[in-house]
Amino acid sequence: MFFAICFLVFYLLVKFVIFMVVKNWVPMDGDTFVTSDGFIMNTFGYEHPSDHLFAFLKYIPAEYKDMFNVEMLERTWRYGKNELFRAEKLYTAKNYQTFIEAFRKNFPDYLFYDQNRDKEIIAAPLNRIEEVFVPRDRLVWLQNLPHRDELQDKALELISLISKESEVPLSDMGLHGSLALNMHASHSDIDFVVYGTNNFRRVESAIERLVNSAKLTYIVGNRLDAARKFQGRYQGKIYMYNATRQFEEVITKFGQYKYTPLASVRFQATICSDKETIYRPATYKISGYKPLDPESEIPIDKIPMQVVSNIGCYRNIAKQGSEIKVSGKLEKVESTIDDQVFYQVVVGTATSEEEYIWPTTI
């Protein structure tokens, strides 16, 4: 049985790699792609089955709008000949389940049943992907664009300023969002990406220096904004940034672990490592588990070693040594290739709106 599982994992991995080599694309979290049905989606995470990509649905063609029964933004976008709509709230549990039902009824091949999680997940079939927008490549495109508009100029100025201040090369940065798809408006945000853990921390420090010297300002709308400091303003334009792993920093593969949900828990803990908190999924290594209600008291051998957030707004909200309060789903994690077993708490299971990570201090 062990060798059969190993062979299956190896076969799926080889099949996936061969396909991506042919396509000249290794998908990373945050890459954007357009499908033959006109959906525009963002790749989620770094582990994918052989014939699908786990993804978030971001833009919906106007002809399919009524199939997705969620509140839409009033603003519309245009990609090629298609008018596009976007959900007002992209990443709520309710909306995710609504998207699943809409896909099941109208586009069932956009769903993938993950045996290791025993759940259905939104995932784009590889044979439906027609165009890919990799942030790193889109920044090169912007640099070489002969006639840029005002927002494109501002985006390149900002990213170049941060690159110089942080000493992170432009080759380790990327352009994301509507600017990357060339379907922005004059009031769109500047959305950029930093590749790699060390590079991200250098950019984070550089932005703080630029804020202190009044070249940038932070935008703080709530407690999470104050903790993350990922959003700001440059010469009247709003910017935001996030981290993506370098290729060599991807260390796990699809099918490597089996996940069994056990119970909903609420607790407080101390962060003992924040190295993986900047990515999506964000991983907080923890110690000192303290239940916040009687239902969250669990046996010592099931104490979680980490908190994993699938929700982007909980990335990078607390540092090593600080305390967090968490509400999520306790999971048993079993390796499919050896005897490793551990426990974690997942925030963003798409089953509850009551899952969160909150820093106790800012």
Side-chain angles (χ1 to χ4, degrees):
M1 183 66 179
F2 171 77
F3 292 106
I5 292 173
C6 288
F7 177 79
L8 178 60
V9 171
F10 177 76
Y11 169 77
L12 293 175
L13 177 60
V14 169
K15 184 178 177 183
F16 179 78
V17 169
I18 290 174
F19 180 90
M20 291 308 169
V21 168
V22 172
K23 288 284 188 179
N24 195 30
W25 175 45
V26 177
M28 305 292 275
D29 181 66
D31 288 353
T32 302
F33 57 86
V34 185
T35 74
S36 57
D37 301 294
F39 296 113
I40 299 181
M41 310 179 82
N42 284 347
T43 305
F44 176 82
Y46 306 88
E47 305 171 22
H48 307 278
S50 62
D51 53 0
H52 282 72
L53 286 184
F54 295 131
F56 282 115
L57 174 62
K58 191 162 187 182
Y59 297 102
I60 301 168
E63 61 184 303
Y64 305 139
K65 177 188 175 185
D66 292 340
M67 298 178 183
F68 295 84
N69 186 27
V70 298
E71 293 293 324
M72 299 286 183
L73 294 172
E74 291 186 8
R75 178 191 169 188
T76 62
W77 288 258
R78 184 163 293 277
Y79 181 80
K81 296 180 180 179
N82 286 342
E83 184 183 24
L84 300 168
F85 287 83
R86 202 180 88 183
E88 183 177 358
K89 296 180 179 179
L90 285 176
Y91 310 124
T92 68
K94 181 180 178 181
N95 279 5
Y96 192 82
Q97 294 303 321
T98 300
F99 288 165
I100 283 182
E101 291 304 318
F103 278 126
R104 181 181 292 116
K105 183 177 180 180
N106 302 285
F107 300 92
D109 53 346
Y110 280 79
L111 297 179
F112 178 83
Y113 175 70
D114 185 352
Q115 291 183 327
N116 290 320
R117 289 178 170 84
D118 191 25
K119 65 190 297 186
E120 229 172 5
I121 301 174
I122 295 173
L126 292 182
N127 60 10
R128 296 288 189 96
I129 296 175
E130 291 196 336
E131 293 184 82
V132 176
F133 296 85
V134 177
R136 183 178 260 139
D137 296 341
R138 297 311 287 172
L139 181 55
V140 174
W141 164 80
L142 182 62
Q143 289 174 281
N144 295 324
L145 195 64
H147 303 292
R148 291 186 290 267
D149 61 30
E150 181 184 1
L151 185 62
Q152 290 170 330
D153 275 333
K154 281 285 189 295
L156 192 54
E157 287 174 13
L158 171 65
I159 296 171
S160 298
L161 172 66
I162 293 170
S163 172
K164 182 178 179 180
E165 179 68 27
S166 65
E167 298 183 344
V168 172
L170 286 173
S171 58
D172 282 332
M173 302 179 75
L175 185 68
H176 199 233
S178 60
L179 265 170
L181 276 71
N182 201 25
M183 60 181 205
H184 57 283
S186 60
H187 54 271
S188 296
D189 299 336
I190 299 171
D191 193 349
F192 69 94
V193 170
V194 183
Y195 289 89
T197 306
N198 293 335
N199 287 338
F200 182 86
R201 293 305 185 194
R202 287 160 64 185
V203 164
E204 191 176 41
S205 297
I207 288 176
E208 183 174 8
R209 293 194 298 272
L210 291 168
V211 168
N212 291 338
S213 62
K215 293 179 181 177
L216 303 176
T217 57
Y218 289 128
I219 296 175
V220 180
N222 55 46
R223 190 175 181 182
L224 292 182
D225 289 343
R228 290 185 68 196
K229 298 179 180 178
F230 79 115
Q231 190 176 37
R233 198 178 298 274
Y234 171 69
Q235 296 185 4
K237 300 297 183 181
I238 295 173
Y239 71 84
M240 59 189 66
Y241 72 107
N242 282 298
T244 296
R245 295 181 189 273
Q246 299 276 28
F247 181 76
E248 61 272 16
E249 292 177 319
V250 180
I251 57 176
T252 58
K253 305 296 181 185
F254 177 75
Q256 187 172 341
Y257 294 101
K258 176 178 173 56
Y259 305 88
T260 305
L262 300 178
S264 295
V265 291
R266 294 175 59 251
F267 64 96
Q268 185 166 323
T270 302
I271 298 171
C272 53
S273 173
D274 58 15
K275 185 177 180 180
E276 303 290 315
T277 65
I278 61 178
Y279 298 117
R280 187 177 59 185
T283 301
Y284 293 80
K285 300 291 185 181
I286 61 169
S287 61
Y289 178 94
K290 301 174 185 175
L292 295 177
D293 54 40
E295 292 77 16
S296 302
E297 295 179 1
I298 54 180
I300 192 169
D301 61 339
K302 291 182 174 57
I303 295 294
M305 62 176 286
Q306 62 189 28
V307 176
V308 177
S309 176
N310 294 324
I311 303 175
C313 69
Y314 296 127
R315 284 178 282 189
N316 197 38
I317 61 168
K319 304 297 185 185
Q320 182 173 330
S322 61
E323 299 263 319
I324 53 174
K325 290 184 178 181
V326 180
S327 175
K329 182 73 73 173
L330 179 67
E331 285 186 342
K332 180 181 181 180
V333 184
E334 302 170 89
S335 171
T336 60
I337 58 177
D338 58 31
D339 295 328
Q340 183 185 15
V341 176
F342 62 90
Y343 294 84
Q344 66 181 22
V345 171
V346 177
V347 173
T349 60
T351 59
S352 170
E353 305 291 358
E354 302 302 318
E355 297 176 346
Y356 57 78
I357 304 173
W358 290 110
T360 59
T361 57
I362 302 298

